[in-house]
Amino acid sequence: EKIFVKNINMKDIVGEAILFDMYYAAVDPVPLTGEKRDAPKIQLLPVTEETPVFRDFHISNVVCDGASKAVFIRGLPELSISNITLADLSIKAHEGIDIQEAKNVSLTNVNLIAKEVNPLINIQNGNDISFKNINYNNAQLLFRISGDRNSNIKTVGLDASKAKVKTEFLAGA
């Protein structure tokens, strides 16, 4: 917590340009390619001293020329990642932005060039998620919102006219 990062230049990142993932010691809720599993069941575990806490990260002035995914933020159902501020980003990646189980996330002044744009931005159980001045090359689907624990997702300065489909709501959203 209370991490400040700025003025980063990256090229040809194998994974995500910006990654917050609380599943480093737990079973990943998303099966790997080829992995056979039953449909995932969301299980809220008790929050203990062993539960990871990611909060108060501030990242600004990032340029990335090539990554598999621009931004990936994934908290736990029982404890969201919180207070993430991303500002002044210019990212070229295969996939766009994926936010899961997070609250109080702000993305401001983002230039995103992505190849896989269905969706460009995925949000699952996000609360107080704000997008301000987001520029993107195109989108088959701009926003996919899923889960029954979403609230207060807002955009300002986002030209949705470049997207073929603006939003898709799934899984109780």
Side-chain angles (χ1 to χ4, degrees):
E1 64 184 333
K2 296 185 177 123
I3 304 294
F4 295 83
V5 178
K6 65 180 182 177
N7 301 329
I8 302 294
N9 292 305
M10 297 180 271
K11 183 168 177 56
D12 300 329
I13 303 302
V14 174
E16 298 83 358
I18 297 175
L19 168 69
F20 297 92
D21 192 358
M22 291 173 67
Y23 275 92
Y24 62 86
V27 176
D28 191 324
V30 178
L32 298 172
T33 303
E35 182 180 4
K36 301 211 186 279
R37 272 200 230 168
D38 292 333
K41 295 177 184 169
I42 296 198
Q43 181 179 358
L44 295 176
L45 300 174
V47 175
T48 68
E49 64 185 26
E50 294 176 347
T51 306
V53 177
F54 289 22
R55 64 178 169 229
D56 296 327
F57 282 77
H58 308 275
I59 299 175
S60 63
N61 299 322
V62 173
V63 175
C64 178
D65 183 8
S68 66
K69 187 177 285 189
V71 176
F72 185 42
I73 299 171
R74 181 170 58 177
L76 300 170
E78 63 270 17
L79 187 62
S80 295
I81 287 178
S82 62
N83 303 333
I84 305 294
T85 303
L86 305 175
D88 303 315
L89 310 178
S90 182
I91 300 177
K92 181 178 179 183
H94 185 74
E95 296 179 39
I97 297 168
D98 192 351
I99 299 171
Q100 303 174 22
E101 305 293 347
K103 65 182 179 183
N104 196 22
V105 176
S106 169
L107 289 96
T108 304
N109 300 329
V110 176
N111 184 41
L112 181 58
I113 298 171
K115 291 180 184 177
E116 177 61 41
V117 290
N118 191 20
L120 180 68
I121 300 169
N122 181 66
I123 300 172
Q124 177 183 326
N125 295 322
N127 297 288
D128 297 316
I129 311 294
S130 134
F131 298 92
K132 183 176 181 185
N133 300 329
I134 308 298
N135 184 39
Y136 59 98
N137 56 332
N138 66 49
Q140 178 68 32
L141 171 62
L142 184 55
F143 283 98
R144 175 177 292 139
I145 312 292
S146 63
D148 60 0
R149 297 186 319 274
N150 290 291
S151 67
N152 199 27
I153 299 169
K154 58 188 172 187
T155 68
V156 174
L158 175 75
D159 180 5
S161 70
K162 292 192 278 184
K164 289 182 182 172
V165 178
K166 310 306 185 247
T167 55
E168 175 181 74
F169 297 96
L170 302 171

